[in-house]
Amino acid sequence: MTVSATAEPFWTRVRAALGALSPVRSERGPAYGQAAIARSIGIKPKLGQLIEDELVHGWANAAGRHVSLGLLVIEIDRSTDYFAAYGKQSTDDCVLAVMQAITDVLPRSGDTCLRLGRAGFVVVLPDLPGLMARATAHKITEAVRRLSLAHKESHAGIVTVSLGLAVTNPRGSYDKKFFEAGAEALKKAQRKGIGRLEAVDLRPAQQRKRKAA
């Protein structure tokens, strides 16, 4: 029996919540499907461009205010196995529920969760101390676990997420290596198992480089 069959009232509530958001989408521009459920929803024709725009904006914001910038790159664990076991509709429902769970624990009203690929997400966190970014990551992990979405191909038995966290002090124009650092941290977390968090703080290396210059 699939997840959607065993938790239909839950998915009904999710779809109802999505329906309540539709007027907001129509006012801001044409929807691109179910790509972003967040407190702040941006509409762009290409999701990759939407993510880059969010990173560039967050970078400029943090650089202008001389504050740190955090980035969370998140992925549902064993998502390919989930798709094979439960099919497209249940996978879509699962991704939407996880995205909503992430959004619900973001610390500020302007924080946005964006879809990355089939089962990934990106959260840009300007002016959030490293310890608070870590705390947010742990809240996301627990929020997804509390959904208790069945995942028979995972040894956890439920859907979990792994996360990569990168923190930097932006200077100048946006550096794409920042996103790469967060993505690499996620890969490192996934190599260690499921439901993991790996963090990389780029600030010490930046300070050494600036002192040397």
Side-chain angles (χ1 to χ4, degrees):
M1 187 175 294
T2 65
V3 174
S4 58
T6 58
E8 184 58 33
F10 175 79
W11 298 124
T12 299
R13 292 196 299 274
V14 170
R15 294 187 184 102
L18 289 173
L21 291 174
S22 57
V24 177
R25 288 197 184 108
S26 62
E27 291 172 4
R28 298 191 62 170
Y32 51 85
Q34 300 166 334
I37 305 171
R39 294 188 179 98
S40 174
I41 299 178
I43 304 301
K44 294 286 182 178
K46 292 183 179 180
L47 188 58
Q49 186 62 50
L50 178 62
I51 291 172
E52 184 158 347
D53 286 351
E54 185 75 10
L55 283 163
V56 169
H57 176 74
W59 183 282
N61 183 329
R65 298 167 59 195
H66 300 287
V67 296
S68 63
L69 176 65
L71 169 69
L72 286 170
V73 184
I74 309 163
E75 189 168 79
I76 295 173
D77 293 318
R78 303 196 66 175
S79 59
T80 301
D81 294 332
Y82 187 98
F83 183 87
Y86 295 100
K88 183 180 185 302
Q89 185 58 60
S90 290
T91 300
D92 289 344
D93 288 342
C94 173
V95 169
L96 288 173
V98 169
M99 192 172 228
Q100 188 65 62
I102 293 170
T103 299
D104 287 344
V105 298
L106 294 181
R108 299 162 301 195
S109 60
D111 293 332
T112 305
C113 177
L114 299 174
R115 179 87 171 265
L116 176 66
R118 175 182 286 175
F121 314 93
V122 171
V123 178
V124 181
L125 299 168
D127 196 13
L128 193 70
L131 288 177
M132 289 187 65
R134 280 180 174 268
T136 298
H138 288 301
K139 286 180 181 179
I140 289 171
T141 300
E142 290 307 309
V144 173
R145 284 184 175 273
R146 283 197 300 271
L147 292 175
S148 298
L149 303 176
H151 189 345
K152 64 184 181 181
E153 299 301 325
S154 169
H155 65 259
I158 58 174
V159 170
T160 58
V161 293
S162 291
L163 308 93
L165 168 64
V167 182
T168 188
N169 283 336
R171 297 291 186 273
S173 58
Y174 170 61
D175 185 349
K176 291 186 177 183
K177 291 181 180 178
F178 179 53
F179 177 80
E180 293 170 4
E184 185 56 40
L186 169 62
K187 290 179 183 178
K188 186 176 180 181
Q190 291 173 322
R191 286 194 293 266
K192 292 184 176 182
I194 63 172
R196 301 271 186 160
L197 167 67
E198 284 292 328
V200 55
D201 190 340
L202 304 175
R203 293 172 296 181
Q206 290 172 328
Q207 291 171 357
R208 290 193 296 269
K209 184 176 180 179
R210 286 167 190 153
K211 287 180 179 179

